[in-house]
Amino acid sequence: MGHTIVDPKPSLFTFKIPDNGNWKALAGISLQDCCCVLTAGGGAKFEQRGPMLITHWGVSGPAILKLSAWAARALGSNSYTAELNLDLCPQVPVEELTSEILRMKKLKNKAFSSLPLSMKETSFPRRLWGYLLSRQKIPEDARFSELKDKTLRKVALDCKRLALPVQGKGPFKEEFVTSGGVDLREVDLKTMRSKKINGLYFGGEVLNIDGETGGFNFQSAWTSGFLAGKDLAKRVS
Ligand SMILES: Cc1cc2nc3c(=O)[nH]c(=O)nc-3n(C[C@H](O)[C@H](O)[C@H](O)COP(=O)(O)OP(=O)(O)OC[C@H]3O[C@@H](n4cnc5c(N)ncnc54)[C@H](O)[C@@H]3O)c2cc1C
């Protein structure tokens, strides 16, 4: 029909994370506040902060879905591979968390059963704390006093910047929306009329419009449909 189509790519999806270090065992854990930074091909960086959910295939939740919306095109042209860095405890600066964890060396407590106070205050999941310790090969029965400063510093760093490889997205057709579609420059956005073909209208997802979660995609479909209908009614009356 002579209209330019911006290459369609899926948007609003979850990320697949390979199961290195027993990630799947954490499925079901959620964090109310997590800062997620995605580095896609060519070094493009995307950042979102909010609730994050660990699933049996990777990560999901509002922060991840929003990240996928902004990074949809960069990820799509990079076979859905990227690096994801999670700050699991964004409320506490890294220096503060490191000194707090180092101070715990004075305790005789078992490392797996004692969370740093600042993390306890944020209801940090105990299983996730155990995962961070296991990543440093700390035995389950180890006491804080037996651990080296270097190891504890690494635990704090991991908590603030957990690097995970993204190797794919959630299943095809489980994405919520399409990024790309009819080029907006070729549509009159006041009436949704095609600027190229008389009598042709566009509305909804067929257009190169996509939004984050929160009803923006529905709103776009309803609004563009309403505008097209209104103009069409004016024409025929
Ligand atoms: C699982 C899921 C959850 C979502 N959740 C949200 C949300 O919470 N908030 C939000 O804002 N958006 C959400 N979306 C996105 C939202 O549903 C879409 O953006 C919106 O429905 C697009 O409206 P549309 O009318 O353009 O297209 P559609 O709703 O896809 O409607 C197109 C219609 O055209 C019909 N059709 C297709 N081909 C033909 C043909 N050749 N002849 C006749 N009929 C045809 C289809 O059967 C369909 O009924 C979600 C999407 C999915 C998949």
Side-chain angles (χ1 to χ4, degrees), residues 173-177 203-206 212 214-219 221:
K173 289 200 171 171
E174 281 190 12
E175 306 91 350
F176 289 179
V177 76
E205 258 199 71
V206 76
E212 293 182 346
F216 301 108
N217 296 296
F218 279 142
Q219 188 59 59

Side-chain angles (χ1 to χ4, degrees), residues 53-88:
L53 169 72
I54 300 177
T55 65
H56 60 277
W57 68 87
V59 282
S60 180
I64 299 296
L65 289 173
K66 282 185 187 175
L67 206 51
S68 80
W70 291 102
R73 307 202 69 77
L75 281 170
S77 46
N78 205 37
S79 313
Y80 298 95
T81 57
E83 185 179 286
L84 180 65
N85 281 283
L86 300 179
D87 181 348
L88 303 171

Side-chain angles (χ1 to χ4, degrees), residues 81-141:
T81 57
E83 185 179 286
L84 180 65
N85 281 283
L86 300 179
D87 181 348
L88 303 171
C89 204
Q91 313 84 349
V92 190
V94 65
E95 304 78 21
E96 213 174 281
L97 186 66
T98 310
S99 10
E100 191 183 352
I101 293 179
L102 286 173
R103 278 199 304 275
M104 291 177 85
K105 277 193 73 169
K106 290 187 193 131
L107 306 174
K108 292 224 171 353
N109 301 16
K110 286 196 175 160
F112 274 72
S113 49
S114 323
L115 272 168
L117 191 63
S118 58
M119 289 167 86
K120 229 188 241 174
E121 279 167 358
T122 65
S123 309
F124 195 86
R126 207 168 276 275
R127 264 199 298 154
L128 192 51
W129 171 245
Y131 170 79
L132 293 174
L133 298 177
S134 321
R135 274 173 68 95
Q136 302 310 324
K137 311 232 172 340
I138 298 175
E140 280 202 26
D141 57 353

